[in-house]
Amino acid sequence: QVQLVESGGGLVQAGGSLRLSCAASGRTGSNYAMGWFRQAPGKEREFVAAISGSGSNLAYADSVKGRFTISRDNAKNTVYLQMNSLKPEDTAVYYCATDRSSYYYTPTMIKEYIYWGQGTQVTVSS
């Protein structure tokens, strides 16, 4: 059984940084993509960033390009999201997810992911 556990969320002032982690159990290797999504109150869940199984291909939402960086450590089955220059509009619950099998592809749509974590709250104060 695959489980994803996010950590690293919290309260930060605008302009600050946070690093989210997502540890995957029940899966090993590098043959699956991982992604981050977020959902703000009253809004739909939206794509934030994705990384291919190989780690060589990355994708970002326009709203976070240049501020967020996704990375992965396959030896630890963990994906990270480094978030810099945070803005109040980044406030949301952040979810990590994995797809079925993508070594080079970076899925950006919710329907492409099959396993999801429970989420971690990120709050950015102005």
Side-chain angles (χ1 to χ4, degrees):
Q1 183 178 2
V2 177
Q3 287 190 322
L4 303 176
V5 179
E6 302 98 335
S7 61
L11 173 64
V12 64
Q13 288 188 332
S17 298
L18 282 175
R19 187 194 194 204
L20 305 183
S21 300
C22 173
S25 61
R27 301 198 84 174
T28 59
S30 57
N31 62 341
Y32 57 92
M34 298 191 77
W36 288 96
F37 290 75
R38 67 186 181 186
Q39 188 166 17
K43 295 188 176 182
E44 294 185 348
R45 191 170 299 189
E46 65 176 5
F47 169 74
V48 175
I51 185 167
S52 62
S54 66
S56 60
N57 294 316
L58 310 176
Y60 295 96
D62 288 343
S63 58
V64 306
K65 279 182 182 176
R67 300 188 298 122
F68 290 11
T69 302
I70 188 171
S71 62
R72 66 188 293 164
D73 184 338
N74 287 335
K76 296 181 179 180
N77 298 317
T78 300
V79 65
Y80 305 96
L81 186 68
Q82 178 66 44
M83 306 186 294
N84 299 328
S85 302
L86 283 161
K87 305 175 181 180
E89 51 263 44
D90 294 318
T91 294
V93 176
Y94 283 71
Y95 300 90
C96 72
T98 75
D99 76 343
R100 190 173 304 279
S101 177
S102 295
Y103 190 68
Y104 291 114
Y105 179 57
T106 50
T108 62
M109 294 184 291
I110 291 174
K111 64 181 181 181
E112 297 181 286
Y113 289 86
I114 59 171
Y115 300 110
W116 292 83
Q118 292 301 306
T120 185
Q121 176 70 46
V122 171
T123 303
V124 185
S125 63
S126 58

